Amino acid sequence: MSHDSTAAPEAAARKLSGRRRKEIVAVLLFSGGPIFESSIPLSVFGIDRQDAGVPRYRLLVCAGEEGPLRTTGGLELTAPHGLEAISRAGTVVVPAWRSITSPPPEEALDALRRAHEEGARIVGLCTGAFVLAAAGLLDGRPATTHWMYAPTLAKRYPSVHVDPRELFVDDGDVLTSAGTAAGIDLCLHIVRTDHGNEAAGALARRLVVPPRRSGGQERYLDRSLPEEIGADPLAEVVAWALEHLHEQFDVETLAARAYMSRRTFDRRFRSLTGSAPLQWLITQRVLQAQRLLETSDYSVDEVAGRCGFRSPVALRGHFRRQLGSSPAAYRAAYRARRPQGDKPGDPEPAVPSPLPGGAAGPVPAVLHPEAGVPMQTRRSLSASVPGPRSGV
Protein backbone atom coordinates (compact mmCIF):
# COMPACT_ATOMS: atom_id res chain seq x y z
CA MET A 1 0.00 0.00 0.00
CA SER A 2 1.27 3.44 -0.79
CA HIS A 3 0.56 6.89 0.51
CA ASP A 4 0.16 9.79 -1.90
CA SER A 5 -0.40 12.91 0.14
CA THR A 6 -1.25 16.31 -1.24
CA ALA A 7 1.92 18.31 -1.60
CA ALA A 8 2.16 21.54 0.37
CA PRO A 9 1.22 24.62 -1.67
CA GLU A 10 4.76 25.96 -1.60
CA ALA A 11 6.10 22.60 -2.82
CA ALA A 12 3.52 22.39 -5.58
CA ALA A 13 4.37 25.92 -6.74
CA ARG A 14 8.15 25.38 -6.75
CA LYS A 15 9.51 25.10 -10.28
CA LEU A 16 12.61 23.33 -11.48
CA SER A 17 15.46 25.77 -11.95
CA GLY A 18 16.71 26.37 -15.48
CA ARG A 19 19.90 24.36 -15.12
CA ARG A 20 18.13 21.23 -13.92
CA ARG A 21 16.49 18.73 -16.25
CA LYS A 22 13.48 16.62 -15.38
CA GLU A 23 14.82 13.56 -17.18
CA ILE A 24 18.14 13.58 -15.25
CA VAL A 25 18.23 11.39 -12.14
CA ALA A 26 21.17 11.68 -9.75
CA VAL A 27 21.81 8.75 -7.39
CA LEU A 28 23.82 9.68 -4.32
CA LEU A 29 26.01 6.85 -3.00
CA PHE A 30 27.92 6.61 0.27
CA SER A 31 30.52 4.19 1.53
CA GLY A 32 29.05 1.39 3.60
CA GLY A 33 25.70 1.37 1.82
CA PRO A 34 24.12 -2.01 0.95
CA ILE A 35 24.57 -2.91 -2.70
CA PHE A 36 21.01 -4.17 -3.29
CA GLU A 37 19.32 -0.90 -2.34
CA SER A 38 22.00 1.07 -4.19
CA SER A 39 21.46 -0.93 -7.37
CA ILE A 40 17.69 -0.38 -7.54
CA PRO A 41 17.67 3.20 -8.90
CA LEU A 42 20.69 2.37 -11.07
CA SER A 43 18.73 -0.41 -12.74
CA VAL A 44 15.44 1.47 -13.01
CA PHE A 45 16.80 4.79 -14.27
CA GLY A 46 20.14 3.79 -15.78
CA ILE A 47 19.20 1.16 -18.39
CA ASP A 48 17.79 2.08 -21.78
CA ARG A 49 14.51 0.17 -22.18
CA GLN A 50 12.93 2.30 -24.87
CA ASP A 51 12.39 -0.85 -26.95
CA ALA A 52 9.93 -1.96 -24.25
CA GLY A 53 8.10 1.35 -24.18
CA VAL A 54 9.88 2.80 -21.15
CA PRO A 55 10.99 6.43 -21.68
CA ARG A 56 14.68 6.93 -21.07
CA TYR A 57 16.14 8.75 -18.10
CA ARG A 58 19.67 10.09 -17.93
CA LEU A 59 21.49 8.71 -14.87
CA LEU A 60 24.23 10.46 -12.91
CA VAL A 61 25.86 8.33 -10.21
CA CYS A 62 27.35 10.67 -7.62
CA ALA A 63 29.65 10.01 -4.69
CA GLY A 64 28.39 11.61 -1.50
CA GLU A 65 31.89 11.52 -0.03
CA GLU A 66 35.44 10.74 -1.10
CA GLY A 67 35.93 7.26 -2.55
CA PRO A 68 36.44 4.51 -3.14
CA LEU A 69 33.02 3.60 -1.76
CA ARG A 70 32.94 0.24 0.00
CA THR A 71 29.74 -1.75 -0.09
CA THR A 72 28.32 -5.20 0.67
CA GLY A 73 30.83 -8.04 0.55
CA GLY A 74 33.84 -5.73 0.59
CA LEU A 75 33.28 -4.48 -2.96
CA GLU A 76 34.68 -1.08 -3.85
CA LEU A 77 32.83 1.32 -6.15
CA THR A 78 34.06 4.42 -7.93
CA ALA A 79 31.30 6.87 -8.83
CA PRO A 80 31.83 8.80 -12.08
CA HIS A 81 30.50 12.04 -10.58
CA GLY A 82 30.78 14.02 -7.38
CA LEU A 83 28.30 16.21 -5.55
CA GLU A 84 28.59 18.94 -8.18
CA ALA A 85 26.65 16.80 -10.69
CA ILE A 86 23.56 16.94 -8.49
CA SER A 87 23.07 20.52 -9.67
CA ARG A 88 21.83 19.20 -13.04
CA ALA A 89 19.31 16.67 -11.74
CA GLY A 90 15.55 17.03 -11.59
CA THR A 91 15.38 13.98 -9.28
CA VAL A 92 17.91 13.06 -6.59
CA VAL A 93 17.77 9.58 -5.06
CA VAL A 94 19.48 8.55 -1.82
CA PRO A 95 19.17 4.75 -1.89
CA ALA A 96 20.65 4.04 1.54
CA TRP A 97 22.72 5.36 4.42
CA ARG A 98 25.32 3.24 6.19
CA SER A 99 24.32 3.94 9.78
CA ILE A 100 21.16 5.22 11.40
CA THR A 101 23.25 6.45 14.35
CA SER A 102 25.84 8.56 12.53
CA PRO A 103 25.29 11.91 10.75
CA PRO A 104 25.72 12.12 6.97
CA PRO A 105 28.42 14.41 5.54
CA GLU A 106 27.39 18.04 5.75
CA GLU A 107 28.49 18.68 2.15
CA ALA A 108 26.00 16.07 0.93
CA LEU A 109 23.23 17.53 3.08
CA ASP A 110 23.90 20.99 1.67
CA ALA A 111 23.71 19.60 -1.87
CA LEU A 112 20.34 17.98 -1.11
CA ARG A 113 19.00 21.20 0.40
CA ARG A 114 20.06 23.21 -2.64
CA ALA A 115 18.52 20.66 -4.98
CA HIS A 116 15.23 20.83 -3.11
CA GLU A 117 15.24 24.62 -3.06
CA GLU A 118 15.76 24.59 -6.82
CA GLY A 119 12.74 22.37 -7.39
CA ALA A 120 14.32 18.92 -7.62
CA ARG A 121 12.37 15.88 -6.46
CA ILE A 122 14.21 14.26 -3.51
CA VAL A 123 13.84 10.52 -2.91
CA GLY A 124 15.03 8.45 0.06
CA LEU A 125 14.94 4.66 -0.21
CA CYS A 126 15.02 2.63 3.01
CA THR A 127 17.61 4.20 5.36
CA GLY A 128 18.10 6.99 2.84
CA ALA A 129 15.20 8.60 4.73
CA PHE A 130 17.66 9.33 7.56
CA VAL A 131 19.75 11.44 5.17
CA LEU A 132 16.68 13.39 4.06
CA ALA A 133 15.66 13.87 7.70
CA ALA A 134 19.16 15.07 8.63
CA ALA A 135 18.91 17.63 5.84
CA GLY A 136 15.63 18.88 7.31
CA LEU A 137 13.67 17.89 4.21
CA LEU A 138 11.21 15.70 6.12
CA ASP A 139 10.28 18.24 8.80
CA GLY A 140 6.51 18.38 9.14
CA ARG A 141 6.06 15.76 6.42
CA PRO A 142 4.84 12.17 6.31
CA ALA A 143 7.59 9.65 5.62
CA THR A 144 8.44 5.99 5.96
CA THR A 145 11.50 3.77 6.17
CA HIS A 146 12.26 0.12 6.91
CA TRP A 147 9.92 -0.98 9.72
CA MET A 148 12.92 -1.94 11.87
CA TYR A 149 14.25 1.63 11.82
CA ALA A 150 10.94 3.52 11.95
CA PRO A 151 10.96 4.00 15.77
CA THR A 152 14.51 5.35 15.63
CA LEU A 153 13.60 7.76 12.84
CA ALA A 154 10.55 8.96 14.80
CA LYS A 155 12.54 9.40 18.00
CA ARG A 156 15.54 11.11 16.43
CA TYR A 157 13.46 13.42 14.25
CA PRO A 158 10.22 14.10 16.16
CA SER A 159 9.00 16.64 13.60
CA VAL A 160 8.81 13.89 10.95
CA HIS A 161 5.45 12.08 10.72
CA VAL A 162 6.81 8.54 10.46
CA ASP A 163 4.33 6.00 9.14
CA PRO A 164 5.75 2.47 9.44
CA ARG A 165 2.79 0.92 7.61
CA GLU A 166 3.66 2.11 4.14
CA LEU A 167 5.72 0.63 1.34
CA PHE A 168 6.34 4.20 0.21
CA VAL A 169 5.13 7.74 0.88
CA ASP A 170 4.81 10.36 -1.86
CA ASP A 171 4.59 13.87 -0.40
CA GLY A 172 4.94 15.67 -3.71
CA ASP A 173 8.55 16.80 -4.00
CA VAL A 174 9.90 14.52 -1.25
CA LEU A 175 9.36 10.75 -1.37
CA THR A 176 10.48 7.90 0.91
CA SER A 177 10.20 4.12 0.82
CA ALA A 178 10.38 1.17 3.16
CA GLY A 179 13.21 -1.34 3.07
CA THR A 180 14.89 -3.16 0.21
CA ALA A 181 12.29 -4.29 -2.37
CA ALA A 182 9.99 -1.38 -1.48
CA GLY A 183 12.54 0.78 -3.26
CA ILE A 184 11.43 -0.91 -6.48
CA ASP A 185 7.82 -0.02 -5.66
CA LEU A 186 8.72 3.64 -5.22
CA CYS A 187 10.86 3.78 -8.36
CA LEU A 188 8.00 2.24 -10.36
CA HIS A 189 5.70 4.86 -8.82
CA ILE A 190 8.05 7.61 -10.02
CA VAL A 191 8.01 6.21 -13.56
CA ARG A 192 4.21 5.96 -13.37
CA THR A 193 3.98 9.57 -12.18
CA ASP A 194 6.29 10.80 -14.94
CA HIS A 195 5.12 8.68 -17.87
CA GLY A 196 1.89 6.88 -16.97
CA ASN A 197 0.67 3.39 -16.16
CA GLU A 198 1.68 1.86 -19.48
CA ALA A 199 5.34 2.80 -19.07
CA ALA A 200 5.41 1.64 -15.45
CA GLY A 201 3.73 -1.62 -16.43
CA ALA A 202 6.27 -2.24 -19.19
CA LEU A 203 9.12 -1.62 -16.76
CA ALA A 204 7.55 -3.92 -14.16
CA ARG A 205 7.35 -6.70 -16.73
CA ARG A 206 11.04 -6.27 -17.54
CA LEU A 207 11.89 -6.41 -13.85
CA VAL A 208 9.49 -9.36 -13.33
CA VAL A 209 7.70 -7.63 -10.45
CA PRO A 210 4.07 -6.57 -9.94
CA PRO A 211 3.29 -3.05 -11.18
CA ARG A 212 1.64 -2.30 -7.85
CA ARG A 213 1.85 -4.30 -4.65
CA SER A 214 -1.17 -4.33 -2.37
CA GLY A 215 -0.81 -4.01 1.37
CA GLY A 216 1.97 -2.34 3.30
CA GLN A 217 4.79 -3.30 5.65
CA GLU A 218 2.51 -4.62 8.37
CA ARG A 219 2.81 -8.26 7.34
CA TYR A 220 6.59 -8.09 7.71
CA LEU A 221 6.86 -6.27 11.01
CA ASP A 222 8.51 -7.80 14.03
CA ARG A 223 7.05 -7.76 17.51
CA SER A 224 10.26 -6.65 19.18
CA LEU A 225 10.35 -3.18 20.62
CA PRO A 226 13.13 -0.77 19.68
CA GLU A 227 16.34 -1.21 21.63
CA GLU A 228 15.98 2.27 23.11
CA ILE A 229 13.02 1.17 25.25
CA GLY A 230 14.94 -1.61 27.01
CA ALA A 231 16.18 0.50 29.92
CA ASP A 232 13.13 2.75 30.08
CA PRO A 233 10.52 2.38 32.86
CA LEU A 234 7.86 1.93 30.19
CA ALA A 235 9.45 -1.40 29.20
CA GLU A 236 7.93 -3.06 32.27
CA VAL A 237 4.48 -1.71 31.42
CA VAL A 238 4.79 -2.91 27.83
CA ALA A 239 5.89 -6.36 28.99
CA TRP A 240 2.89 -6.53 31.35
CA ALA A 241 0.52 -5.58 28.52
CA LEU A 242 1.89 -8.30 26.25
CA GLU A 243 1.46 -10.90 29.00
CA HIS A 244 -2.13 -9.84 29.75
CA LEU A 245 -3.60 -9.35 26.29
CA HIS A 246 -6.31 -11.87 27.21
CA GLU A 247 -7.65 -9.39 29.76
CA GLN A 248 -9.77 -6.36 29.00
CA PHE A 249 -7.83 -3.20 29.78
CA ASP A 250 -7.25 0.10 28.03
CA VAL A 251 -4.53 2.71 27.73
CA GLU A 252 -5.66 4.38 30.96
CA THR A 253 -4.77 1.13 32.73
CA LEU A 254 -1.29 1.19 31.24
CA ALA A 255 -0.83 4.86 32.13
CA ALA A 256 -1.81 4.12 35.72
CA ARG A 257 0.70 1.26 35.90
CA ALA A 258 3.36 3.70 34.69
CA TYR A 259 2.22 6.27 37.31
CA MET A 260 1.58 8.81 34.59
CA SER A 261 -1.34 10.82 33.34
CA ARG A 262 -2.85 9.58 30.08
CA ARG A 263 -1.48 12.59 28.25
CA THR A 264 2.04 12.13 29.60
CA PHE A 265 1.94 8.40 28.93
CA ASP A 266 0.84 8.94 25.33
CA ARG A 267 3.64 11.41 24.77
CA ARG A 268 6.33 9.20 26.36
CA PHE A 269 5.14 6.07 24.56
CA ARG A 270 5.14 7.80 21.18
CA SER A 271 8.56 9.35 21.75
CA LEU A 272 10.02 5.91 22.48
CA THR A 273 8.29 3.85 19.81
CA GLY A 274 7.03 6.32 17.22
CA SER A 275 3.53 4.93 17.77
CA ALA A 276 0.37 5.82 19.66
CA PRO A 277 -0.23 3.45 22.61
CA LEU A 278 -3.87 2.82 21.70
CA GLN A 279 -3.01 1.63 18.22
CA TRP A 280 -0.12 -0.43 19.55
CA LEU A 281 -2.55 -2.18 21.89
CA ILE A 282 -5.10 -2.77 19.13
CA THR A 283 -2.44 -4.22 16.87
CA GLN A 284 -1.03 -6.52 19.54
CA ARG A 285 -4.54 -7.89 20.17
CA VAL A 286 -5.00 -8.53 16.45
CA LEU A 287 -1.62 -10.27 16.32
CA GLN A 288 -2.60 -12.50 19.21
CA ALA A 289 -5.79 -13.30 17.32
CA GLN A 290 -3.71 -14.27 14.29
CA ARG A 291 -1.67 -16.69 16.36
CA LEU A 292 -4.74 -18.29 17.89
CA LEU A 293 -6.44 -18.61 14.50
CA GLU A 294 -3.31 -20.32 13.18
CA THR A 295 -2.58 -22.60 16.11
CA SER A 296 -5.91 -23.43 17.77
CA ASP A 297 -9.44 -24.57 17.02
CA TYR A 298 -11.09 -21.83 19.08
CA SER A 299 -14.10 -20.24 17.43
CA VAL A 300 -13.82 -16.61 16.31
CA ASP A 301 -15.95 -15.59 19.30
CA GLU A 302 -13.61 -17.46 21.66
CA VAL A 303 -10.56 -15.92 19.99
CA ALA A 304 -12.02 -12.44 20.51
CA GLY A 305 -12.45 -13.11 24.22
CA ARG A 306 -8.96 -14.57 24.60
CA CYS A 307 -7.42 -11.49 22.95
CA GLY A 308 -9.12 -8.91 25.15
CA PHE A 309 -11.64 -7.63 22.61
CA ARG A 310 -14.94 -6.55 24.09
CA SER A 311 -16.88 -8.37 21.38
CA PRO A 312 -16.37 -10.52 18.27
CA VAL A 313 -17.58 -7.54 16.23
CA ALA A 314 -14.66 -5.48 17.51
CA LEU A 315 -12.22 -8.24 16.58
CA ARG A 316 -13.65 -8.57 13.08
CA GLY A 317 -13.51 -4.83 12.45
CA HIS A 318 -9.92 -4.35 13.60
CA PHE A 319 -8.78 -7.60 11.97
CA ARG A 320 -10.18 -6.62 8.59
CA ARG A 321 -8.75 -3.09 8.77
CA GLN A 322 -5.31 -4.40 9.66
CA LEU A 323 -5.06 -7.48 7.45
CA GLY A 324 -7.73 -6.96 4.79
CA SER A 325 -9.49 -10.20 5.66
CA SER A 326 -12.05 -11.54 8.11
CA PRO A 327 -10.76 -13.84 10.88
CA ALA A 328 -12.64 -16.81 9.40
CA ALA A 329 -11.27 -16.18 5.90
CA TYR A 330 -7.75 -15.75 7.27
CA ARG A 331 -7.92 -19.09 9.10
CA ALA A 332 -9.34 -20.86 6.05
CA ALA A 333 -6.61 -19.47 3.79
CA TYR A 334 -3.91 -20.28 6.32
CA ARG A 335 -5.03 -23.88 6.68
CA ALA A 336 -5.56 -24.34 2.96
CA ARG A 337 -1.88 -23.73 2.30
CA ARG A 338 -0.64 -26.24 4.91
CA PRO A 339 0.36 -29.74 3.77
CA GLN A 340 -2.28 -32.36 4.39
CA GLY A 341 -1.93 -33.95 7.78
CA ASP A 342 -0.44 -30.92 9.50
CA LYS A 343 -2.21 -29.85 12.64
CA PRO A 344 -2.66 -26.39 14.12
CA GLY A 345 0.49 -25.46 16.02
CA ASP A 346 2.86 -27.42 13.75
CA PRO A 347 5.82 -25.43 12.34
CA GLU A 348 4.82 -23.18 9.49
CA PRO A 349 5.91 -24.33 6.02
CA ALA A 350 7.83 -21.84 3.90
CA VAL A 351 5.10 -21.18 1.36
CA PRO A 352 3.49 -17.96 0.16
CA SER A 353 1.30 -16.04 2.59
CA PRO A 354 -2.49 -15.95 2.14
CA LEU A 355 -2.30 -12.19 2.47
CA PRO A 356 -2.03 -9.91 -0.57
CA GLY A 357 1.56 -9.34 -1.57
CA GLY A 358 2.82 -12.85 -0.88
CA ALA A 359 4.91 -12.65 2.30
CA ALA A 360 6.69 -15.95 2.77
CA GLY A 361 6.49 -18.04 5.92
CA PRO A 362 4.40 -17.32 8.99
CA VAL A 363 2.99 -13.85 9.30
CA PRO A 364 5.18 -12.16 11.93
CA ALA A 365 3.87 -9.91 14.65
CA VAL A 366 3.61 -6.17 14.19
CA LEU A 367 5.87 -3.72 15.95
CA HIS A 368 4.06 -0.55 15.06
CA PRO A 369 0.42 -0.07 15.99
CA GLU A 370 -0.41 2.40 13.26
CA ALA A 371 -0.18 -0.52 10.87
CA GLY A 372 -3.63 -1.45 12.09
CA VAL A 373 -5.62 1.64 11.17
CA PRO A 374 -7.35 2.55 7.91
CA MET A 375 -5.44 4.40 5.21
CA GLN A 376 -5.80 8.13 5.47
CA THR A 377 -3.82 11.34 5.32
CA ARG A 378 -0.93 10.86 7.74
CA ARG A 379 -1.22 14.26 9.38
CA SER A 380 -4.80 13.55 10.47
CA LEU A 381 -4.06 10.01 11.64
CA SER A 382 -4.11 10.69 15.35
CA ALA A 383 -7.38 12.59 15.14
CA SER A 384 -9.20 9.61 13.63
CA VAL A 385 -8.02 6.92 16.05
CA PRO A 386 -11.01 5.43 17.92
CA GLY A 387 -11.24 6.01 21.64
CA PRO A 388 -10.51 3.34 24.21
CA ARG A 389 -14.18 2.41 24.46
CA SER A 390 -14.55 1.60 20.79
CA GLY A 391 -14.74 -2.11 21.47
CA VAL A 392 -11.04 -2.89 21.81
Side-chain angles (χ1 to χ4, degrees):
M1 192 173 291
S2 63
H3 177 169
D4 301 320
S5 65
T6 303
E10 61 271 19
R14 188 182 295 118
K15 294 182 179 180
L16 203 61
S17 71
R19 61 178 176 172
R20 295 183 181 274
R21 295 291 179 267
K22 182 179 180 181
E23 69 277 7
I24 297 180
V25 177
V27 176
L28 186 59
L29 300 182
F30 297 97
S31 188
I35 196 167
F36 185 94
E37 284 84 347
S38 300
S39 68
I40 289 171
L42 305 185
S43 178
V44 171
F45 301 112
I47 298 177
D48 186 354
R49 298 187 177 91
Q50 294 180 90
D51 62 321
V54 182
R56 186 175 183 177
Y57 289 88
R58 182 182 173 192
L59 180 70
L60 301 176
V61 182
C62 307
E65 56 194 340
E66 290 188 8
L69 308 177
R70 292 175 175 82
T71 184
T72 311
L75 296 176
E76 290 189 353
L77 305 177
T78 301
H81 302 282
L83 289 171
E84 71 285 347
I86 291 178
S87 64
R88 291 180 274 159
T91 299
V92 181
V93 182
V94 183
W97 172 238
R98 61 175 166 264
S99 172
I100 62 173
T101 60
S102 62
E106 191 59 38
E107 295 82 358
L109 299 181
D110 286 341
L112 288 172
R113 295 184 191 108
R114 284 195 300 272
H116 182 251
E117 289 170 358
E118 293 177 1
R121 177 172 51 190
I122 311 298
V123 181
L125 308 182
C126 193
T127 52
F130 283 81
V131 180
L132 272 58
L137 302 182
L138 297 182
D139 290 351
R141 292 177 178 266
T144 194
T145 188
H146 192 293
W147 59 262
M148 189 166 59
Y149 306 127
T152 303
L153 183 64
K155 182 179 180 181
R156 185 159 298 156
Y157 302 100
S159 61
V160 180
H161 304 305
V162 181
D163 191 338
R165 301 169 304 168
E166 305 295 351
L167 290 176
F168 65 83
V169 172
D170 179 346
D171 196 44
D173 56 349
V174 177
L175 304 87
T176 51
S177 81
T180 313
I184 300 176
D185 296 302
L186 179 50
C187 288
L188 283 172
H189 170 74
I190 291 172
V191 173
R192 185 181 301 111
T193 300
D194 290 348
H195 302 292
N197 288 325
E198 188 173 344
L203 176 57
R205 287 191 293 275
R206 278 295 183 92
L207 298 176
V208 196
V209 296
R212 296 176 187 262
R213 280 199 292 168
S214 60
Q217 292 194 79
E218 57 264 30
R219 70 178 64 86
Y220 306 109
L221 304 182
D222 188 275
R223 182 175 179 165
S224 345
L225 289 167
E227 292 181 2
E228 292 91 336
I229 200 174
D232 192 274
L234 286 188
E236 183 177 343
V237 175
V238 168
W240 180 90
L242 291 173
E243 293 172 2
H244 294 79
L245 288 174
H246 60 284
E247 301 177 9
Q248 289 189 9
F249 61 86
D250 53 24
V251 178
E252 279 78 7
T253 302
L254 300 181
R257 292 189 67 86
Y259 302 101
M260 298 178 184
S261 68
R262 170 64 187 272
R263 186 173 184 178
T264 300
F265 181 79
D266 282 5
R267 184 174 64 252
R268 288 280 297 126
F269 194 97
R270 186 180 287 274
S271 70
L272 283 169
T273 68
S275 303
L278 174 61
Q279 288 308 129
W280 180 86
L281 181 57
I282 291 172
T283 298
Q284 296 306 320
R285 294 196 190 284
V286 170
L287 292 168
Q288 180 68 0
Q290 278 184 264
R291 288 187 282 272
L292 290 179
L293 290 167
E294 294 171 1
T295 61
S296 77
D297 290 320
Y298 294 129
S299 69
V300 172
D301 287 13
E302 289 174 316
V303 168
R306 289 174 178 270
C307 296
F309 287 101
R310 297 178 187 275
S311 70
V313 173
L315 166 62
R316 291 185 178 94
H318 289 302
F319 199 97
R320 183 175 292 279
R321 280 192 291 272
Q322 182 162 314
L323 297 174
S325 170
S326 70
Y330 176 87
R331 169 179 273 170
Y334 179 86
R335 293 186 175 180
R337 64 189 171 97
R338 301 186 66 88
Q340 287 189 350
D342 280 4
K343 298 178 180 179
D346 287 345
E348 167 65 12
V351 294
S353 166
L355 299 179
V363 179
V366 179
L367 163 64
H368 305 293
E370 289 169 355
V373 297
M375 183 61 59
Q376 54 196 290
T377 302
R378 181 63 179 84
R379 293 187 179 91
S380 63
L381 182 63
S382 59
S384 64
V385 172
R389 302 189 182 281
S390 62
V392 177

